[in-house]
């Protein structure tokens, strides 16, 4: 069972503090949506307003075409998955999962049916008699999800559920969540500040910043066509490189960009009319910067730190004018800190950002 969720012109104030400003968002039934943004941007507040744990200051929220923002949490048909440390330590796994259902007076056989079905889905049936202290971190997280599943909600709400797990377990649990979503087909909203979790889990990512939604899109739309300089710098690791412009001239479908660090760059690009180089920057990802073989001349990059990741090597350096730039090259690179390397840009992969931070992309990108 899954439901659409409609957020319409929602605003949130805490006293004089304005946290969210006129947020509107339509989530489709069965969709996996991730709220992504830096700490403090209002992700948890928005999720908690959907759950009914916070009031909306203005606006409406509907679940399955029914207005819910005036209903108590238990009547909204959504279930929040809390972090695993919120399990009751003195109760067994089965008791932890059935507790909420006993509270609402569900008959015992129905509770047992739901708990055993959820335990089977999560592959924790053999753990039902254990107390949380005797479980691994990953098992505890699955019990926390089980507590939500037994409520048979129309939508699951997750607030950074993986942040307390170690790196290997985080990766595994992320995969299990994706499988669970495929199996249940439920609507899921997942809050995180981790762009890797967002990229790997989401059907669509909602990027939040400065009390607003900055962009909504599929992971690859957001990666390839970020709407703003903020999004471009926030999604992708290493972060996109930004180089200030000194001039730009447009001639039909091509442009000449002047920069002090990269020199002049010629690219196929439809520049919007009135685009000013003042305060504008060129953006390019490290993977679109090539380190040229020895003997070839391109743009000089002085390497400061070389990070070897096995399959690839990241070169953190600076251009002749001091602008920082990161290049990605293959894992067998012999570059070392202090070397001056020669690089080239893939000019089909450049982005331009105006002074207000609005993005413009190459044709076909
Ligand atoms: N109960 C509260 N009272 C006052 N301010 C709050 C309260 N809860 C959150 N805030 C503020 O609202 C903003 C958004 O918080 P939050 O939604 O928790 O951000 P996020 O989950 O994106 O890190 C922050 O500035 C935070 O300090
Ligand atoms: Mg939060």
């Amino acid at each position: 069972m899954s439901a659409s969720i409609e957020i319409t012109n929602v605003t949130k104030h805490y006293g004089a503090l304005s946290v969210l400003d006129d947020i509107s968002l339509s989530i489709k039934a069965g969709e996996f949506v991730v709220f992504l943004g830096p700490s403090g941007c209002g992700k948890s507040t928005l999720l908690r307003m959907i759950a009914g744990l916070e009031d909306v200051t203005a606006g409406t929220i509907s679940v399955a075409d029914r207005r819910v923002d005036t209903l108590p949490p238990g009547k909204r048909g959504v279930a929040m998955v809390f972090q695993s440390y919120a399990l009751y330590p003195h109760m067994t796994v089965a008791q932890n999962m059935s507790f909420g259902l006993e509270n609402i007076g569900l008959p015992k056989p129905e509770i047992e049916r739901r708990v055993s079905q959820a335990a089977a889905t999560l592959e924790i049936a053999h753990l039902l008699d254990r107390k949380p202290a005797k479980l691994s971190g990953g098992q505890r997280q699955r019990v926390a999800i089980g507590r939500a599943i037994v409520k048979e909600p129309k939508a699951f709400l997750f607030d950074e559920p993986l942040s307390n797990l170690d790196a290997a377990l985080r990766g595994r649990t992320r995969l299990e969540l994706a499988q669970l979503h495929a199996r249940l087909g439920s609507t899921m909203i997942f809050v995180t500040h981790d762009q890797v979790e967002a990229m790997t889990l989401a059907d669509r990512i909602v990027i939040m910043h400065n009390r607003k939604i900055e962009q909504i899109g599929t992971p690859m739309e957001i990666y390839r066509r970020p709407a703003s300089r903020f999004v471009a710098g926030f999604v992708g690791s290493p972060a996109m490189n930004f180089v200030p412009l000194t001039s730009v001239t447009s001639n039909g479908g091509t442009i000449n960009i002047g920069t002090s660090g990269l020199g002049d760059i010629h690219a196929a690009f439809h520049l919007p009319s009135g685009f000013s180089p003042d305060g504008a920057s060129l953006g390019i990802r490290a993977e679109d910067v090539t380190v040229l073989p020895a003997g070839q001349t391109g743009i000089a990059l002085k390497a400061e730190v070389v990070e070897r990741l096995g399959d690839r090597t990241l070169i953190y350096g600076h251009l002749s004018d001091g602008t920082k730039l990161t290049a990605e090259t293959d894992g067998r690179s012999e570059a070392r800190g202090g070397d001056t390397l020669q690089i080239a840009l893939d000019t089909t992969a450049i982005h331009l950002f105006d002074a207000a931070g609005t993005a413009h992309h190459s044709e076909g990108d």
Side-chain angles (χ1 to χ4, degrees):
M1 204 165 43
S2 66
S4 61
I5 297 177
E6 196 74 32
I7 298 167
T8 312
N9 305 119
V10 164
T11 290
K12 178 68 179 174
H13 292 196
Y14 286 110
L17 179 71
S18 164
V19 175
L20 293 168
D21 180 27
D22 199 22
I23 301 282
S24 292
L25 173 65
S26 294
I27 296 172
K28 297 193 253 315
E31 202 173 15
F32 199 129
V33 166
V34 174
F35 295 170
L36 175 67
S39 179
C41 72
K43 306 177 296 292
S44 295
T45 301
L46 186 57
L47 196 74
R48 291 168 62 81
M49 288 193 296
I50 299 168
L53 304 173
E54 289 287 350
D55 291 334
V56 302
T57 305
T60 61
I61 299 175
S62 299
V63 174
D65 298 322
R66 187 175 64 123
R67 186 165 169 192
V68 299
D69 54 270
T70 47
L71 300 179
K75 298 260 192 276
R76 296 188 176 201
V78 301
M80 185 109 168
V81 177
F82 293 97
Q83 291 191 341
S84 55
Y85 56 67
L87 296 177
Y88 298 112
H90 59 287
M91 291 186 189
T92 64
V93 168
Q95 287 165 340
N96 263 289
M97 286 167 65
S98 51
F99 182 68
L101 304 182
E102 286 162 8
N103 275 354
I104 57 169
L106 217 60
K108 205 157 188 284
E110 175 64 9
I111 295 178
E112 279 168 11
R113 182 191 70 78
R114 290 193 189 184
V115 169
S116 66
Q117 197 179 340
T121 301
L122 296 165
E123 297 172 6
I124 51 173
H126 59 295
L127 305 173
L128 283 171
D129 294 328
R130 285 205 204 160
K131 299 249 172 81
K134 294 269 164 56
L135 301 177
S136 69
Q139 290 168 334
R140 274 202 286 266
Q141 190 56 59
R142 272 182 272 168
V143 177
I145 296 169
R147 278 209 303 202
I149 291 181
V150 295
K151 293 181 190 153
E152 303 191 341
K154 298 191 196 105
F156 290 87
L157 311 178
F158 297 90
D159 193 353
E160 310 231 13
L162 309 183
S163 57
N164 286 331
L165 304 179
D166 67 50
L169 192 53
R170 203 156 54 223
R172 236 174 19 244
T173 312
R174 201 170 72 208
L175 188 62
E176 285 179 359
L177 261 180
Q179 291 165 337
L180 184 72
H181 177 248
R183 209 148 58 220
L184 298 177
S186 311
T187 311
M188 295 189 171
I189 307 180
F190 185 101
V191 162
T192 184
H193 64 277
D194 181 322
Q195 45 118 359
V196 176
E197 286 178 8
M199 289 292 288
T200 52
L201 284 168
D203 292 320
R204 283 191 305 158
I205 299 176
V206 176
I207 308 255
M208 296 173 60
H209 176 52
N210 248 342
R211 302 156 56 230
K212 293 273 193 192
I213 291 177
E214 187 98 3
Q215 186 172 8
I216 304 174
T218 65
M220 285 316 283
E221 278 164 8
I222 284 187
Y223 189 77
R224 294 184 59 84
R225 299 181 71 82
S228 65
R229 182 170 160 153
F230 171 79
V231 174
F234 193 74
V235 175
S237 177
M240 187 182 282
N241 296 298
F242 298 108
V243 177
L245 297 198
T246 51
S247 66
V248 59
T249 53
S250 174
N251 183 2
T254 65
I255 51 172
N256 254 310
I257 304 167
T259 73
S260 73
L262 295 166
D264 284 354
I265 292 171
H266 190 69
F269 209 102
H270 280 279
L271 200 66
S273 61
F275 185 93
S276 161
D278 292 338
S281 52
L282 173 154
I284 187 152
R285 295 203 186 273
E287 70 218 43
D288 298 316
V289 179
T290 305
V291 176
L292 298 174
Q296 287 188 26
T297 305
I299 301 160
L301 177 70
K302 174 102 171 170
E304 286 160 16
V305 174
V306 175
E307 229 176 49
R308 293 180 202 289
L309 300 173
D311 58 333
R312 61 206 173 109
T313 302
L314 296 177
I315 315 246
Y316 297 86
H318 59 261
L319 301 169
S320 59
D321 70 336
T323 301
K324 287 189 179 304
L325 190 107
T326 307
E328 181 181 317
T329 187
D330 72 83
R332 285 155 299 181
S333 162
E334 285 169 7
R336 297 192 320 189
D339 289 354
T340 296
L341 307 171
Q342 298 294 317
I343 59 167
L345 308 188
D346 176 353
T347 56
T348 67
I350 63 174
H351 309 266
L352 291 183
F353 301 93
D354 61 25
T358 304
H360 305 278
H361 309 286
S362 316
E363 284 297 290
D365 183 28

